[in-house]
Amino acid sequence: MALLNETPQANRVRIAFFGLRNAGKSTLVNAFTGQDLAIVSDTPGTTTDPVSKAMEILPLGPCLITDTAGLDDEGELGELRVKKTLGVLEITDIAIWVETPHDADRADLRELFLGECRRRNVVVLDYRRGDSVNELKQKIAGIKLADVVPGLLDGLVEKGDRVICVCPIDESAPKGRIILPQVQLIRDCLDRHATSIVCQPAELPAALDCAGAGALVVTDSQAFGEVRRAVEGHDVRLTSFSILFARQKGDLAEFLKGVAAVKNLKDGDTVLIAEGCTHHRQCNDIGAVKIPKALAKLSGGKKLNFVFSSGATFGLSDRSGIALVVHCGGCMLTRREVLLRIDCAKEAGVPIVNYGILLAAANGLSDVSEIGIVASSIS
């Protein structure tokens, strides 16, 4: 039950601690969190992998705290640890550089670190061993992050409006609960004092009669065709959970270009299917089964090769020859992470589309221009 009450990690401020070995990062992390989160030792290189902890820290609110290995780690394993440490910057909002007076001898590593932070627009604060931890917290609390995530329903729903959430329950639905995007949309409705009506596709006609004219209908993309037919003749607006998340966290225009590029795929092309979380794949899994079926339908039956990535590893930078990236809705990722993945695809010259827009195209929307009409109504 505790998991149902926790703030999703994608909605937490990401704070990570960096520095050289034995700079005091782990000691600071433990003092900062008030817990023995990290192992502390005088032995250089005690922290070998990033260690994260989600927690509430006053006055900061929901945070994800991460301790990292020293950037001066050595040897073949050390190089891998440094790579992992720098990779943490991909999901970091605020980086704390921890140092001792002796660390000035490795100013080159600090400059490397600062350059990586600038490239990713990560805020950096300095902490010298022995400084006040409370003062550090106050500095962090005073930071106004530039990357403010808009609400899912910004500009679409106001107080008193009605939103119909169409949530199919099939073999891929988690037992006894609904998935995070659906939960977040309902919470957004509550925050706006709007009325949310939750139903399956079969009950949508009754929900439409209850909601009346002007309602916003939000559907799972896999049911887009069925829902689109059901709302014909009703004075309502229609979109999908994935389009709302693409609008909130991603780049809708790039995703529309990505779905348009599907028709250019050729036999033998490789498609990367990327997910921001890890989960047990089921018999009719969306990434392993439904997305390949949708691509076959939209590409005219091209015989494609598929590679997969999940969790913190995007996978595009480690592979060549990718013709298309199909990404999940990103409900477990921050806006920064989603945009970085889109930028990575753009730099590689690889089109990218998300699950929802691809499935909407395969389940009821006839062409890209029609998807654009749906998208433009929520931009």
Side-chain angles (χ1 to χ4, degrees), residues 33-275:
T33 62
Q35 298 183 16
D36 290 333
L37 172 63
I39 298 175
V40 176
S41 169
D42 291 334
T43 303
T46 299
T47 302
T48 58
D49 287 297
V51 178
S52 297
K53 172 74 173 179
M55 51 195 319
E56 307 276 332
I57 298 180
L58 296 176
L60 309 176
C63 301
L64 185 72
I65 308 300
T66 301
D67 187 19
T68 65
L71 286 174
D72 59 337
D73 213 335
E74 300 172 338
E76 185 175 345
L77 284 177
E79 290 180 6
L80 294 175
R81 292 166 185 161
V82 169
K83 184 178 180 180
K84 269 198 169 184
T85 291
L86 292 176
V88 171
L89 286 173
E90 301 288 351
I91 61 170
T92 298
D93 296 305
I94 301 171
I96 312 299
W97 177 260
V98 184
E99 64 180 5
T100 71
H102 305 292
D103 293 342
D105 296 338
R106 295 307 308 271
D108 57 323
L109 292 179
R110 174 177 164 80
E111 287 305 312
L112 168 67
F113 168 76
L114 292 176
E116 294 293 326
C117 290
R118 285 192 293 269
R119 189 165 69 85
R120 296 171 174 84
N121 197 30
V122 176
V123 177
V124 180
L125 293 177
D126 289 326
Y127 178 88
R128 180 69 68 91
R129 183 188 289 181
D131 287 350
S132 168
V133 175
N134 286 332
E135 287 183 9
L136 176 62
K137 288 185 178 181
Q138 293 300 324
K139 286 181 181 178
I140 294 173
I143 293 174
K144 303 297 183 184
L145 295 174
D147 192 19
V148 178
V149 181
L152 274 173
L153 297 172
D154 279 4
L156 299 176
V157 172
E158 298 179 355
K159 182 178 181 179
D161 286 349
R162 295 158 310 283
V163 179
I164 301 176
C165 307
V166 185
C167 306
I169 302 298
D170 56 19
E171 69 274 13
S172 64
K175 186 174 179 59
R177 62 184 177 89
I178 58 178
I179 61 176
L180 185 58
Q182 297 161 354
V183 172
Q184 291 178 319
L185 182 71
I186 294 169
R187 174 56 192 264
D188 203 306
C189 290
L190 291 172
D191 288 341
R192 298 173 192 276
H193 296 277
T195 300
S196 59
I197 302 171
V198 184
C199 67
Q200 291 203 60
E203 287 68 51
L204 180 56
L208 288 167
D209 291 340
C210 179
L216 175 67
V217 179
V218 185
T219 178
D220 186 288
S221 300
Q222 299 173 71
F224 209 105
E226 181 181 357
V227 171
R228 184 168 178 264
R229 291 187 293 272
V231 302
E232 286 180 356
H234 291 267
D235 181 16
V236 296
R237 297 165 291 161
L238 173 63
T239 188
S240 73
F241 290 99
S242 284
I243 290 176
L244 290 178
F245 272 91
R247 172 181 180 264
Q248 181 195 42
K249 291 186 176 182
D251 187 329
L252 205 50
E254 285 300 318
F255 288 151
L256 293 177
K257 291 178 186 176
V259 76
V262 172
K263 66 179 183 296
N264 299 323
L265 292 172
K266 303 182 291 295
D267 285 333
D269 278 348
T270 299
V271 176
L272 170 63
I273 298 179
E275 296 183 337

Side-chain angles (χ1 to χ4, degrees), residues 255-315:
F255 288 151
L256 293 177
K257 291 178 186 176
V259 76
V262 172
K263 66 179 183 296
N264 299 323
L265 292 172
K266 303 182 291 295
D267 285 333
D269 278 348
T270 299
V271 176
L272 170 63
I273 298 179
E275 296 183 337
C277 63
T278 56
H279 65 276
H280 175 69
R281 295 194 182 278
Q282 303 180 61
C283 59
N284 202 22
D285 184 76
I286 184 172
V289 178
K290 295 180 180 179
I291 293 300
K293 285 183 178 179
L295 286 169
K297 181 177 181 180
L298 293 173
S299 68
K302 296 296 189 299
K303 299 184 184 302
L304 305 171
N305 300 315
F306 296 97
V307 293
F308 300 86
S309 69
S310 60
T313 302
F314 181 26

